Amino acid sequence: MHVLVVHNRYASAQPSGENRVVDQEVTLLRGAGHRVEVFERRSDDIAARSLLGKAAVPLLVPWNPAVRAELAARLRATRPDLVHLHNVFPLLSPSVLAACADAGVPAVATLHNYAQVCPPGTLQRDGRPCTECAGSVPLPAVRHGCYRGSRLATVPLAVSLAVNRRRWWSGVARFFCISAAQRDVLVRAGVPAERLAVKHNFVPDPGAGRAGAGEHLLYLGRLAEAKGVRLLMAAWDEVAAGCGVGVPLVIAGAGPLEREVTAWAAGRDDVRYAGLLGPEECRRAVARAVAVVAPSTWLEAFGLVVVEAMAAGVPAVAAGHGAFTELVEDGVTGLLHRPDEPASLASGLRRITADAARNQEMGRAARRRYERGFSPAVGLERLLEEYRTALAGRSETRGTETMGGTG
């Protein structure tokens, strides 16, 4: 199969699970003998633009005509079987859909967040779930400045969502939701259910899993409010006030709360802030964990770190909402805590560390769950199945149009 992957890479200064997913999927397909090309833009490149070029970026978010022309020419020249869209913000824009239509190449799209119904893609405002814009004109997002706390920065996203919604539904043959929880949210928001398939992300096998009981609890990810970092700090303070759990908390990552986390961890022997880790360092940190902690306050569409822990035979303590409820079987492959409740998270941290034998059994169950649902072999099979379904649907539609045109 010949596939062109389209992706706007997120800035490299902060960890991006989405970038990893795209790279791993490309590698997986190529390793299986498929021809995969990549059409991409990089958010890192914005910094090198002139002042005028930087000022123009928001204007290109709803529509980038230069990208449309470039991608259409690429498609006509290479004629892939289909285009696989990922992130198009901020430099690609939904103009990529028009390019696919111009060249007559079908498109599928992975939905990594909730950007189809929410300008910032989080379905969250002020630390709480919010669906005000879902299924309607996204004016509330502008009024509240939902993207980066800025009304001005939110406007391009809101305009793009409003003017391109129908283009997405008509221009994409099949959308891949990365969890059933995400699909349910999108269907309730009015997204056509027949276009939405569930295709979980896969995780490469780390090769070596956890040996022994582990030596720390691990938070690995973006240091942001939506990821539950402040919730974790409050819960850990409660744990520490009760004499701790016998192992330290390691926090690894970067983001807007980095300074706050650094100050909170300073001078403590029960917390270590490790900063932004490289891929191999991340794998080692996970393999040495008693458990990974995923306390997100927003409705995670997937939860990559939880599955990476599963692959290493490590259980998770995760918020009991969003995709985590289908990734973590409470009491079997990990523990779920009540969302937004520090006391419930603190209780989960105590329980996951209290019984080493039970913890290790959870880790073994987590590994079995990974092998059944999230391994590269399973990921490849499901991806190709969805590609074939999209292409078959395209062929059926063309056949119907042809027959209708001859009557």
Side-chain angles (χ1 to χ4, degrees):
M1 194 172 290
H2 181 188
V3 180
L4 180 69
V5 171
V6 175
H7 180 50
N8 192 126
R9 299 186 71 82
Y10 291 86
S12 58
Q14 297 175 353
S16 167
E18 191 168 326
N19 284 350
R20 291 209 312 279
V21 166
V22 173
D23 292 342
Q24 289 167 358
E25 210 163 76
V26 167
T27 300
L28 183 72
L29 286 166
R30 286 174 174 166
H34 300 280
R35 179 183 173 190
V36 183
E37 299 175 62
V38 178
F39 182 91
E40 68 178 17
R41 292 291 188 272
R42 295 173 177 266
S43 292
D44 285 344
D45 295 340
I46 295 174
R49 292 187 171 210
S50 65
L51 287 177
L52 186 60
K54 291 176 182 175
V57 169
L59 303 177
L60 301 176
V61 168
W63 198 257
N64 189 329
V67 163
R68 175 183 182 175
E70 182 184 344
L71 179 57
R74 173 87 170 266
L75 293 172
R76 290 190 182 104
T78 60
R79 304 307 307 177
D81 295 310
L82 83 168
V83 172
H84 189 159
L85 306 172
H86 290 274
N87 176 47
V88 300
F89 172 79
L91 298 175
L92 287 170
S93 84
S95 66
V96 298
L97 298 167
C100 293
D102 293 342
V105 179
V108 298
T110 294
L111 303 180
H112 294 273
N113 49 41
Y114 298 100
Q116 297 296 322
V117 296
C118 168
T122 60
L123 287 182
Q124 187 181 58
R125 178 164 57 85
D126 298 330
R128 297 180 180 178
C130 173
T131 57
E132 274 195 76
C133 295
S136 64
V137 177
L139 291 177
V142 177
R143 186 168 65 249
H144 297 297
C146 289
Y147 180 65
R148 295 185 173 178
S150 167
R151 291 177 179 176
L152 187 62
T154 305
V155 167
L157 286 161
V159 170
S160 182
L161 194 158
V163 303
N164 290 307
R165 182 179 277 129
R166 289 188 178 180
R167 186 181 297 278
W168 279 105
W169 307 146
S170 63
V172 176
R174 201 158 177 82
F175 292 96
F176 304 154
C177 296
I178 52 179
S179 67
Q182 181 196 33
R183 184 183 187 277
D184 290 345
V185 169
L186 293 174
V187 169
R188 289 197 298 271
V191 178
E194 66 276 7
R195 296 288 186 90
L196 301 174
V198 176
K199 187 197 73 62
H200 291 128
N201 293 326
F202 76 93
V203 167
D205 195 323
R210 183 177 66 177
E215 59 192 51
H216 55 236
L217 290 166
L218 176 67
Y219 172 89
L220 179 62
R222 181 169 161 78
L223 304 185
E225 178 77 30
K227 292 294 187 177
V229 174
R230 287 197 176 111
L231 179 73
L232 175 58
M233 291 191 291
W236 192 255
D237 284 339
E238 184 174 325
V239 168
C243 300
V245 292
V247 294
L249 171 67
V250 172
I251 297 180
L257 298 183
E258 184 172 347
R259 186 172 297 179
E260 185 176 333
V261 170
T262 302
W264 174 76
R268 302 180 64 150
D269 59 8
D270 64 335
V271 179
R272 182 169 68 88
Y273 173 53
L276 186 61
L277 303 180
E280 186 55 38
E281 292 174 307
C282 287
R283 283 189 285 272
R284 288 198 298 267
V286 170
R288 293 200 299 264
V290 176
V292 300
V293 189
S296 295
T297 59
W298 80 297
L299 298 174
E300 290 278 3
F302 188 62
L304 202 60
V305 69
V306 168
V307 181
E308 289 171 339
M310 287 180 180
V314 174
V317 178
H321 61 178
F324 291 141
T325 59
E326 66 193 81
L327 299 180
V328 178
E329 187 176 354
D330 191 29
V332 178
T333 62
L335 299 174
L336 296 172
H337 69 85
R338 291 189 296 277
D340 301 305
E341 293 190 17
S344 179
L345 175 55
S347 175
L349 298 176
R350 294 189 193 99
R351 288 167 57 203
I352 205 75
T353 54
D355 187 334
R358 184 178 180 222
N359 179 287
Q360 291 188 57
E361 177 50 40
M362 285 184 178
R364 288 189 288 270
R367 172 66 192 189
R368 292 192 293 271
R369 172 82 171 101
Y370 161 77
E371 291 170 350
R372 291 195 308 271
F374 308 105
S375 69
V378 172
L380 179 63
E381 179 183 354
R382 290 178 177 169
L383 180 59
L384 294 176
E385 179 183 343
E386 293 301 337
Y387 282 172
R388 294 186 191 105
T389 300
L391 290 171
R394 169 86 168 186
S395 299
E396 290 172 7
T397 300
R398 282 184 168 180
T400 301
E401 291 172 351
T402 301
M403 287 187 288
T406 59

PDB file of all heavy atoms in Angstrom, residues 1-24:
ATOM      1  N   MET A   1       0.842  -1.188   0.000  1.00  0.00           N
ATOM      2  CA  MET A   1       0.000   0.000   0.000  1.00  0.00           C
ATOM      3  C   MET A   1       0.882   1.244   0.000  1.00  0.00           C
ATOM      4  O   MET A   1       1.952   1.256   0.598  1.00  0.00           O
ATOM      5  CB  MET A   1      -0.924  -0.018   1.226  1.00  0.00           C
ATOM      6  CG  MET A   1      -2.057   0.983   1.161  1.00  0.00           C
ATOM      7  SD  MET A   1      -3.259   0.766   2.501  1.00  0.00           S
ATOM      8  CE  MET A   1      -4.030  -0.779   1.997  1.00  0.00           C
ATOM      9  N   HIS A   2       0.438   2.269  -0.674  1.00  0.00           N
ATOM     10  CA  HIS A   2       1.181   3.533  -0.769  1.00  0.00           C
ATOM     11  C   HIS A   2       0.398   4.600  -0.006  1.00  0.00           C
ATOM     12  O   HIS A   2      -0.730   4.942  -0.373  1.00  0.00           O
ATOM     13  CB  HIS A   2       1.344   3.902  -2.246  1.00  0.00           C
ATOM     14  CG  HIS A   2       2.113   5.170  -2.466  1.00  0.00           C
ATOM     15  ND1 HIS A   2       2.227   5.767  -3.697  1.00  0.00           N
ATOM     16  CD2 HIS A   2       2.815   5.960  -1.611  1.00  0.00           C
ATOM     17  CE1 HIS A   2       2.955   6.874  -3.592  1.00  0.00           C
ATOM     18  NE2 HIS A   2       3.325   7.002  -2.336  1.00  0.00           N
ATOM     19  N   VAL A   3       0.998   5.127   1.062  1.00  0.00           N
ATOM     20  CA  VAL A   3       0.314   6.059   1.957  1.00  0.00           C
ATOM     21  C   VAL A   3       1.136   7.337   2.080  1.00  0.00           C
ATOM     22  O   VAL A   3       2.358   7.301   2.219  1.00  0.00           O
ATOM     23  CB  VAL A   3       0.134   5.432   3.356  1.00  0.00           C
ATOM     24  CG1 VAL A   3      -0.587   6.399   4.294  1.00  0.00           C
ATOM     25  CG2 VAL A   3      -0.622   4.115   3.261  1.00  0.00           C
ATOM     26  N   LEU A   4       0.460   8.483   2.039  1.00  0.00           N
ATOM     27  CA  LEU A   4       1.105   9.755   2.348  1.00  0.00           C
ATOM     28  C   LEU A   4       0.579  10.239   3.691  1.00  0.00           C
ATOM     29  O   LEU A   4      -0.626  10.450   3.860  1.00  0.00           O
ATOM     30  CB  LEU A   4       0.805  10.800   1.274  1.00  0.00           C
ATOM     31  CG  LEU A   4       1.446  12.169   1.535  1.00  0.00           C
ATOM     32  CD1 LEU A   4       2.961  12.100   1.390  1.00  0.00           C
ATOM     33  CD2 LEU A   4       0.878  13.236   0.592  1.00  0.00           C
ATOM     34  N   VAL A   5       1.472  10.385   4.650  1.00  0.00           N
ATOM     35  CA  VAL A   5       1.119  10.847   5.996  1.00  0.00           C
ATOM     36  C   VAL A   5       1.288  12.358   6.062  1.00  0.00           C
ATOM     37  O   VAL A   5       2.330  12.895   5.666  1.00  0.00           O
ATOM     38  CB  VAL A   5       2.008  10.158   7.058  1.00  0.00           C
ATOM     39  CG1 VAL A   5       1.805  10.789   8.438  1.00  0.00           C
ATOM     40  CG2 VAL A   5       1.701   8.660   7.095  1.00  0.00           C
ATOM     41  N   VAL A   6       0.268  13.045   6.541  1.00  0.00           N
ATOM     42  CA  VAL A   6       0.282  14.511   6.654  1.00  0.00           C
ATOM     43  C   VAL A   6       0.226  14.893   8.126  1.00  0.00           C
ATOM     44  O   VAL A   6      -0.694  14.494   8.845  1.00  0.00           O
ATOM     45  CB  VAL A   6      -0.912  15.127   5.889  1.00  0.00           C
ATOM     46  CG1 VAL A   6      -0.982  16.633   6.112  1.00  0.00           C
ATOM     47  CG2 VAL A   6      -0.811  14.809   4.402  1.00  0.00           C
ATOM     48  N   HIS A   7       1.223  15.676   8.572  1.00  0.00           N
ATOM     49  CA  HIS A   7       1.296  15.986  10.010  1.00  0.00           C
ATOM     50  C   HIS A   7       2.043  17.295  10.245  1.00  0.00           C
ATOM     51  O   HIS A   7       3.101  17.528   9.661  1.00  0.00           O
ATOM     52  CB  HIS A   7       2.015  14.853  10.751  1.00  0.00           C
ATOM     53  CG  HIS A   7       2.140  15.061  12.234  1.00  0.00           C
ATOM     54  ND1 HIS A   7       1.081  15.403  13.039  1.00  0.00           N
ATOM     55  CD2 HIS A   7       3.225  14.974  13.060  1.00  0.00           C
ATOM     56  CE1 HIS A   7       1.485  15.500  14.298  1.00  0.00           C
ATOM     57  NE2 HIS A   7       2.787  15.255  14.336  1.00  0.00           N
ATOM     58  N   ASN A   8       1.479  18.144  11.099  1.00  0.00           N
ATOM     59  CA  ASN A   8       2.181  19.327  11.605  1.00  0.00           C
ATOM     60  C   ASN A   8       2.796  18.945  12.942  1.00  0.00           C
ATOM     61  O   ASN A   8       2.087  18.701  13.916  1.00  0.00           O
ATOM     62  CB  ASN A   8       1.195  20.489  11.782  1.00  0.00           C
ATOM     63  CG  ASN A   8       1.869  21.820  12.033  1.00  0.00           C
ATOM     64  OD1 ASN A   8       1.607  22.789  11.329  1.00  0.00           O
ATOM     65  ND2 ASN A   8       2.757  21.908  13.028  1.00  0.00           N
ATOM     66  N   ARG A   9       4.124  18.854  12.984  1.00  0.00           N
ATOM     67  CA  ARG A   9       4.805  18.417  14.204  1.00  0.00           C
ATOM     68  C   ARG A   9       4.739  19.485  15.279  1.00  0.00           C
ATOM     69  O   ARG A   9       4.944  20.673  15.022  1.00  0.00           O
ATOM     70  CB  ARG A   9       6.259  18.065  13.910  1.00  0.00           C
ATOM     71  CG  ARG A   9       6.418  16.926  12.921  1.00  0.00           C
ATOM     72  CD  ARG A   9       7.869  16.515  12.769  1.00  0.00           C
ATOM     73  NE  ARG A   9       8.346  15.833  13.957  1.00  0.00           N
ATOM     74  CZ  ARG A   9       8.144  14.540  14.217  1.00  0.00           C
ATOM     75  NH1 ARG A   9       7.468  13.794  13.361  1.00  0.00           N
ATOM     76  NH2 ARG A   9       8.613  13.998  15.304  1.00  0.00           N
ATOM     77  N   TYR A  10       4.458  19.035  16.494  1.00  0.00           N
ATOM     78  CA  TYR A  10       4.430  19.946  17.634  1.00  0.00           C
ATOM     79  C   TYR A  10       5.849  20.370  18.002  1.00  0.00           C
ATOM     80  O   TYR A  10       6.823  19.699  17.658  1.00  0.00           O
ATOM     81  CB  TYR A  10       3.761  19.269  18.834  1.00  0.00           C
ATOM     82  CG  TYR A  10       2.286  19.043  18.648  1.00  0.00           C
ATOM     83  CD1 TYR A  10       1.814  17.892  18.001  1.00  0.00           C
ATOM     84  CD2 TYR A  10       1.358  19.962  19.107  1.00  0.00           C
ATOM     85  CE1 TYR A  10       0.452  17.671  17.819  1.00  0.00           C
ATOM     86  CE2 TYR A  10      -0.005  19.750  18.938  1.00  0.00           C
ATOM     87  CZ  TYR A  10      -0.447  18.612  18.299  1.00  0.00           C
ATOM     88  OH  TYR A  10      -1.787  18.392  18.119  1.00  0.00           O
ATOM     89  N   ALA A  11       5.962  21.476  18.731  1.00  0.00           N
ATOM     90  CA  ALA A  11       7.264  22.008  19.125  1.00  0.00           C
ATOM     91  C   ALA A  11       8.043  20.970  19.924  1.00  0.00           C
ATOM     92  O   ALA A  11       7.492  20.293  20.797  1.00  0.00           O
ATOM     93  CB  ALA A  11       7.088  23.279  19.946  1.00  0.00           C
ATOM     94  N   SER A  12       9.334  20.864  19.646  1.00  0.00           N
ATOM     95  CA  SER A  12      10.166  19.842  20.273  1.00  0.00           C
ATOM     96  C   SER A  12      10.561  20.191  21.698  1.00  0.00           C
ATOM     97  O   SER A  12      11.096  19.343  22.414  1.00  0.00           O
ATOM     98  CB  SER A  12      11.426  19.616  19.438  1.00  0.00           C
ATOM     99  OG  SER A  12      12.160  20.827  19.305  1.00  0.00           O
ATOM    100  N   ALA A  13      10.307  21.440  22.136  1.00  0.00           N
ATOM    101  CA  ALA A  13      10.705  21.848  23.483  1.00  0.00           C
ATOM    102  C   ALA A  13       9.895  21.129  24.557  1.00  0.00           C
ATOM    103  O   ALA A  13      10.308  21.082  25.717  1.00  0.00           O
ATOM    104  CB  ALA A  13      10.546  23.355  23.647  1.00  0.00           C
ATOM    105  N   GLN A  14       8.749  20.562  24.171  1.00  0.00           N
ATOM    106  CA  GLN A  14       7.904  19.861  25.128  1.00  0.00           C
ATOM    107  C   GLN A  14       7.543  18.484  24.565  1.00  0.00           C
ATOM    108  O   GLN A  14       7.449  18.319  23.354  1.00  0.00           O
ATOM    109  CB  GLN A  14       6.638  20.670  25.423  1.00  0.00           C
ATOM    110  CG  GLN A  14       6.938  22.008  26.086  1.00  0.00           C
ATOM    111  CD  GLN A  14       5.702  22.864  26.267  1.00  0.00           C
ATOM    112  OE1 GLN A  14       4.633  22.535  25.797  1.00  0.00           O
ATOM    113  NE2 GLN A  14       5.857  23.976  26.965  1.00  0.00           N
ATOM    114  N   PRO A  15       7.343  17.500  25.430  1.00  0.00           N
ATOM    115  CA  PRO A  15       7.050  16.151  24.939  1.00  0.00           C
ATOM    116  C   PRO A  15       5.731  16.105  24.188  1.00  0.00           C
ATOM    117  O   PRO A  15       4.760  16.741  24.585  1.00  0.00           O
ATOM    118  CB  PRO A  15       6.995  15.320  26.225  1.00  0.00           C
ATOM    119  CG  PRO A  15       6.700  16.299  27.320  1.00  0.00           C
ATOM    120  CD  PRO A  15       7.358  17.575  26.904  1.00  0.00           C
ATOM    121  N   SER A  16       5.693  15.356  23.104  1.00  0.00           N
ATOM    122  CA  SER A  16       4.480  15.222  22.308  1.00  0.00           C
ATOM    123  C   SER A  16       4.210  13.757  22.036  1.00  0.00           C
ATOM    124  O   SER A  16       4.911  13.125  21.234  1.00  0.00           O
ATOM    125  CB  SER A  16       4.610  15.988  20.984  1.00  0.00           C
ATOM    126  OG  SER A  16       3.559  15.618  20.100  1.00  0.00           O
ATOM    127  N   GLY A  17       3.209  13.214  22.700  1.00  0.00           N
ATOM    128  CA  GLY A  17       2.807  11.846  22.426  1.00  0.00           C
ATOM    129  C   GLY A  17       2.319  11.690  20.998  1.00  0.00           C
ATOM    130  O   GLY A  17       2.520  10.651  20.366  1.00  0.00           O
ATOM    131  N   GLU A  18       1.716  12.761  20.460  1.00  0.00           N
ATOM    132  CA  GLU A  18       1.200  12.684  19.094  1.00  0.00           C
ATOM    133  C   GLU A  18       2.332  12.539  18.078  1.00  0.00           C
ATOM    134  O   GLU A  18       2.236  11.744  17.138  1.00  0.00           O
ATOM    135  CB  GLU A  18       0.372  13.928  18.798  1.00  0.00           C
ATOM    136  CG  GLU A  18      -0.430  13.833  17.523  1.00  0.00           C
ATOM    137  CD  GLU A  18      -1.452  14.944  17.399  1.00  0.00           C
ATOM    138  OE1 GLU A  18      -1.997  15.374  18.430  1.00  0.00           O
ATOM    139  OE2 GLU A  18      -1.699  15.380  16.262  1.00  0.00           O
ATOM    140  N   ASN A  19       3.410  13.311  18.265  1.00  0.00           N
ATOM    141  CA  ASN A  19       4.562  13.145  17.373  1.00  0.00           C
ATOM    142  C   ASN A  19       5.081  11.715  17.417  1.00  0.00           C
ATOM    143  O   ASN A  19       5.428  11.127  16.385  1.00  0.00           O
ATOM    144  CB  ASN A  19       5.684  14.102  17.777  1.00  0.00           C
ATOM    145  CG  ASN A  19       5.432  15.542  17.347  1.00  0.00           C
ATOM    146  OD1 ASN A  19       4.516  15.822  16.591  1.00  0.00           O
ATOM    147  ND2 ASN A  19       6.245  16.452  17.847  1.00  0.00           N
ATOM    148  N   ARG A  20       5.165  11.155  18.631  1.00  0.00           N
ATOM    149  CA  ARG A  20       5.665   9.772  18.772  1.00  0.00           C
ATOM    150  C   ARG A  20       4.762   8.783  18.059  1.00  0.00           C
ATOM    151  O   ARG A  20       5.241   7.866  17.388  1.00  0.00           O
ATOM    152  CB  ARG A  20       5.788   9.394  20.258  1.00  0.00           C
ATOM    153  CG  ARG A  20       6.865  10.103  20.999  1.00  0.00           C
ATOM    154  CD  ARG A  20       7.411   9.283  22.157  1.00  0.00           C
ATOM    155  NE  ARG A  20       6.414   8.695  23.025  1.00  0.00           N
ATOM    156  CZ  ARG A  20       5.785   9.339  24.003  1.00  0.00           C
ATOM    157  NH1 ARG A  20       6.046  10.618  24.222  1.00  0.00           N
ATOM    158  NH2 ARG A  20       4.921   8.715  24.771  1.00  0.00           N
ATOM    159  N   VAL A  21       3.473   8.954  18.218  1.00  0.00           N
ATOM    160  CA  VAL A  21       2.522   8.047  17.586  1.00  0.00           C
ATOM    161  C   VAL A  21       2.680   8.070  16.067  1.00  0.00           C
ATOM    162  O   VAL A  21       2.706   7.024  15.405  1.00  0.00           O
ATOM    163  CB  VAL A  21       1.075   8.403  17.982  1.00  0.00           C
ATOM    164  CG1 VAL A  21       0.067   7.696  17.080  1.00  0.00           C
ATOM    165  CG2 VAL A  21       0.818   8.024  19.440  1.00  0.00           C
ATOM    166  N   VAL A  22       2.791   9.261  15.509  1.00  0.00           N
ATOM    167  CA  VAL A  22       2.939   9.381  14.053  1.00  0.00           C
ATOM    168  C   VAL A  22       4.227   8.712  13.594  1.00  0.00           C
ATOM    169  O   VAL A  22       4.237   7.924  12.637  1.00  0.00           O
ATOM    170  CB  VAL A  22       2.908  10.861  13.631  1.00  0.00           C
ATOM    171  CG1 VAL A  22       3.233  10.999  12.138  1.00  0.00           C
ATOM    172  CG2 VAL A  22       1.543  11.474  13.928  1.00  0.00           C
ATOM    173  N   ASP A  23       5.333   8.999  14.271  1.00  0.00           N
ATOM    174  CA  ASP A  23       6.615   8.409  13.883  1.00  0.00           C
ATOM    175  C   ASP A  23       6.588   6.886  13.986  1.00  0.00           C
ATOM    176  O   ASP A  23       7.100   6.178  13.105  1.00  0.00           O
ATOM    177  CB  ASP A  23       7.737   8.960  14.771  1.00  0.00           C
ATOM    178  CG  ASP A  23       8.001  10.440  14.530  1.00  0.00           C
ATOM    179  OD1 ASP A  23       7.584  10.957  13.484  1.00  0.00           O
ATOM    180  OD2 ASP A  23       8.624  11.078  15.400  1.00  0.00           O
ATOM    181  N   GLN A  24       6.003   6.375  15.053  1.00  0.00           N
ATOM    182  CA  GLN A  24       5.960   4.923  15.250  1.00  0.00           C
ATOM    183  C   GLN A  24       5.068   4.251  14.208  1.00  0.00           C
ATOM    184  O   GLN A  24       5.382   3.154  13.726  1.00  0.00           O
ATOM    185  CB  GLN A  24       5.471   4.621  16.669  1.00  0.00           C
ATOM    186  CG  GLN A  24       6.496   4.976  17.738  1.00  0.00           C
ATOM    187  CD  GLN A  24       5.908   4.988  19.145  1.00  0.00           C
ATOM    188  OE1 GLN A  24       4.704   4.766  19.337  1.00  0.00           O
ATOM    189  NE2 GLN A  24       6.741   5.246  20.124  1.00  0.00           N
TER     190      GLN A  24
END
